[in-house]
Amino acid sequence: MPTLKPLLLALLSLSAARAGKVPFSVTLSPHDPALACHSASTPVLTFGPPPPGTHSLAVLFWDQRPNQLSGRWLVFDLPLKTTRLDTQDASRLQVGGGKVALNDAGQPGYTALCARGRHDIYVDFYALDVPSLGVPAGTPLRKVHTLIHQHKLREVKAHLVRVMP
């Protein structure tokens, strides 16, 4: 019964919230200055606690437009205690105790949205079953993303829509 799993996860999240516990989650403000064109800083992301069995965390910020998907920022090998990534220089390869991949533009760190039109922005937050993915900072995003999916215990997403003039 494939429809029971989403319902069960929703009920678990609701019961955790009622018990005063923050569920495994990721939050991005739609007003974050890092979402402005040519921003030279990273977005602020806030995380809920990971599920049991997690050994490290990863977060992927990506932008989807018609006929194009672009990985803008990927931070991996984050320590379990990470609850927030604060804004900092977008080109850094070390963030919050974790490593940063080369993005889909082939640049180190984060690249801001600049193309006109609608952007569906997604932030994927991953709980991983290994303390490290075993690759250095600056590894291409697609390679790190493949490794994340091999070690993923759980994933949650944040989504927002941004229209660039």
Side-chain angles (χ1 to χ4, degrees):
M1 296 184 192
T3 57
L4 286 181
K5 187 173 181 182
L7 178 60
L8 179 60
L9 290 175
L11 290 173
L12 288 174
S13 294
L14 181 60
S15 65
R18 285 187 179 156
K21 298 177 184 173
V22 178
F24 183 58
S25 61
V26 59
T27 306
L28 167 70
S29 169
H31 307 292
D32 193 310
L35 298 178
C37 183
H38 301 298
S39 174
S41 62
T42 62
V44 174
L45 300 173
T46 306
F47 310 117
T54 303
H55 292 279
S56 68
L57 305 167
V59 61
L60 171 59
F61 183 101
W62 54 282
D63 170 29
Q64 184 172 14
R65 295 182 296 142
N67 303 317
Q68 185 177 0
L69 177 65
S70 179
R72 300 273 175 186
W73 191 39
L74 174 58
V75 184
F76 61 101
D77 289 355
L78 282 164
L80 284 179
K81 64 182 180 191
T82 306
T83 59
R84 181 179 169 98
L85 291 179
D86 288 315
T87 190
Q88 50 196 295
D89 182 308
S91 64
R92 292 189 59 179
L93 285 175
Q94 303 288 326
V95 174
K99 302 172 190 169
V100 179
L102 290 180
N103 59 38
D104 276 346
Q107 300 172 345
Y110 169 78
T111 54
L113 313 170
C114 286
R116 293 178 188 263
R118 178 187 167 116
H119 295 260
D120 281 284
I121 300 165
Y122 295 91
V123 181
D124 300 342
F125 184 43
Y126 302 96
L128 305 176
D129 65 0
V130 292
S132 174
L133 293 175
V135 294
T139 298
L141 183 144
R142 300 292 171 154
K143 180 176 181 177
V144 177
H145 193 238
T146 297
L147 292 169
I148 286 170
H149 280 279
Q150 292 171 3
H151 294 283
K152 175 176 71 170
L153 291 171
R154 186 148 174 227
E155 171 185 1
V156 293
K157 294 181 181 287
H159 172 239
L160 64 96
V161 175
R162 181 96 174 187
V163 178
M164 303 297 285

